Amino acid sequence: MYRVSKVLNNNGVIAIDMDENQEYVILGKGVGFGKKVSQRFDKPQECTMYRLAQETERGSAKELVKGIEPEYLEIADAILTEAQKVFGDSIDRGILFPLADHISFAVARIRRNEQISNPLTDDIRVLFHNEFQAASVLRDILQKRMQITIDEHEIGYVALHIHSAIEDEKVSVAMQTARAVRECIEMIEKETGKKIDVISLSYNRLMNHIKYMVARAMTGEDLRINMNEYIESKFPEAYMTAKKVCDMLGKSIGKELDEMEIGYLAMHIERIYSEEIKA
C-alpha cells in the first residue's frame, strides 16, 4: 500500500511505501489522475518506480526532483524504457533524476538559442553505438511534446548518461574515455601521416579496442598473453606507433598501461593500413 505525498501531474506522484517507509517517484499513464495528498492506493500494474533515497552524480535524488518539472521526469523515463529494450535489466534506472535534470537544462539552452557543440559526438556515436541509438528517441519526443528540435550533440550527451547507467560509471568518466580515444586516433594519424577511414570496420574495431584498453587501465586488469616480441619483429612501425600512443594515453588518463597493451594495439594499427593498401 502507498500513500501520496505529492501529486506531480496526471502521470506521476511521489508516494511513500507504507511497508518499507520509503519514498518513491511513481510514473505511469494516469497514475496521478484524481489523486490527493495522503490518499492511499495500491501500486498500479503499468508503472515505473524510482527510489528517492539515493545519491546521484548531481546530488540527492530527493533534492533534484524538487527542481525538475514533472514532464522531464516522464521524458527521461521514456528514454530509459527504450534503453531497457536494448540492454535489459542491466540498466540502472536510478539515473532518471540526473538524466531528467540534464534534459531540462538542454531544453532551456535550446530555447535561448544556445545549442552546444561537442567535438566528441562522432566518437561517442561509434564507441557507444547502442546507447546513442536509444538516446535518439529524445529527438522525436521533444519534437512531439514541445516542438523543439535537438541536434546530435545533445543526443551524444544523453547517450553518455545511458552508458553510465549500464557500466555504473560517472558520465565524466565516459566522456574521458571518448576524449582519450579521440586523442589516440589523432596521434596514430599524425605518426603514420595517413588519415584513417572512419567508416571502415577496422576503424570501429580500433576505437572499441582503445575503449576497452582505457577500461582495463582504469580497473587494473592485465592481459594474459604477451605478444610484444612477435609484433615488434613483424610490424616494427606499427609497434613503435602503438608504444607512443600507449605512453600518451597513460599520461592522459593518469594510469600506467600494462606493457602488453602495446602489441595488441599495434595489431589493430597494422590491420587498418594493410587493408587500405589492399583496397
Side-chain angles (χ1 to χ4, degrees):
M1 184 70 70
Y2 293 84
R3 186 177 74 248
V4 177
S5 57
K6 182 178 181 180
V7 177
L8 297 174
N9 59 15
N10 284 342
N11 300 318
V13 296
I14 297 176
I16 298 170
D17 183 324
M18 297 176 67
D19 294 325
E20 299 178 0
N21 197 31
Q22 290 281 346
E23 201 166 22
Y24 291 87
V25 167
I26 304 177
L27 301 173
K29 190 172 182 179
V31 165
F33 182 74
K35 295 281 194 311
K36 298 185 183 301
V37 174
S38 296
Q39 181 178 337
R40 300 184 181 192
F41 65 100
D42 292 321
K43 177 187 172 184
Q45 287 188 340
E46 298 294 326
C47 71
T48 47
M49 300 181 61
Y50 299 90
R51 192 165 59 91
L52 281 176
Q54 61 170 302
E55 289 294 322
T56 76
E57 193 174 354
R58 297 195 181 203
S60 75
K62 192 163 187 174
E63 287 302 311
L64 269 179
V65 78
K66 291 178 181 177
I68 301 173
E69 292 293 325
E71 190 166 20
Y72 294 113
L73 295 173
E74 290 183 57
I75 291 171
D77 181 55
I79 292 171
L80 292 177
T81 297
E82 185 66 26
Q84 197 162 27
K85 293 176 185 177
V86 179
F87 300 105
D89 292 335
S90 63
I91 192 161
D92 175 13
R93 296 186 73 113
I95 70 153
L96 174 91
F97 304 105
L99 177 57
D101 192 42
H102 175 86
I103 295 169
S104 173
F105 277 106
V107 169
R109 282 196 302 269
I110 293 168
R111 283 174 170 163
R112 293 194 302 266
N113 295 315
E114 297 175 358
Q115 290 187 327
I116 59 169
S117 176
N118 180 359
L120 300 175
T121 297
D122 289 338
D123 302 293
I124 292 168
R125 185 191 287 106
V126 174
L127 288 170
F128 310 119
H129 176 75
N130 290 333
E131 292 92 327
F132 196 92
Q133 291 301 111
S136 295
V137 302
L138 180 60
R139 182 187 285 112
D140 292 336
I141 291 172
L142 288 184
Q143 187 64 52
K144 185 177 179 180
R145 290 189 177 215
M146 301 178 177
Q147 292 73 56
I148 284 176
T149 301
I150 61 166
D151 59 25
E152 302 239 305
H153 298 304
E154 295 286 3
I155 291 172
Y157 281 116
V158 172
L160 293 181
H161 278 276
I162 293 173
H163 178 73
S164 75
I166 301 161
E167 298 295 334
D168 191 27
E169 68 181 21
K170 293 182 178 180
V171 172
S172 56
V173 174
M175 192 69 170
Q176 182 185 25
T177 298
R179 185 176 293 110
V181 170
R182 168 54 28 208
E183 290 171 353
C184 288
I185 297 295
E186 288 175 348
M187 187 172 188
I188 291 168
E189 291 179 332
K190 181 181 178 181
E191 288 294 320
T192 59
K194 299 173 184 176
K195 197 75 176 172
I196 299 175
D197 182 4
V198 297
I199 64 172
S200 67
L201 177 61
S202 293
Y203 176 73
N204 275 291
R205 286 174 174 166
L206 173 62
M207 291 193 77
N208 278 292
H209 177 79
I210 297 172
K211 177 177 76 172
Y212 289 115
M213 194 165 69
V214 171
R216 285 192 293 271
M218 292 293 192
T219 60
E221 179 186 347
D222 293 329
L223 294 168
R224 295 186 178 182
I225 301 175
N226 191 333
M227 300 184 66
N228 286 5
E229 188 175 340
Y230 170 77
I231 297 296
E232 185 177 14
S233 63
K234 193 164 181 66
F235 310 117
E237 291 184 7
Y239 185 87
M240 286 305 298
T241 298
K243 188 176 188 308
K244 290 178 181 179
V245 170
C246 286
D247 288 343
M248 179 274 294
L249 181 58
K251 292 175 184 175
S252 176
I253 64 176
K255 298 277 186 179
E256 187 174 348
L257 272 69
D258 183 348
E259 192 175 349
M260 287 190 282
E261 294 283 4
I262 299 171
Y264 287 90
L265 178 58
M267 280 196 299
H268 281 279
I269 295 171
E270 180 64 28
R271 182 182 291 126
I272 280 180
Y273 293 115
S274 63
E275 285 186 1
E276 277 190 4
I277 292 170
K278 289 177 186 177

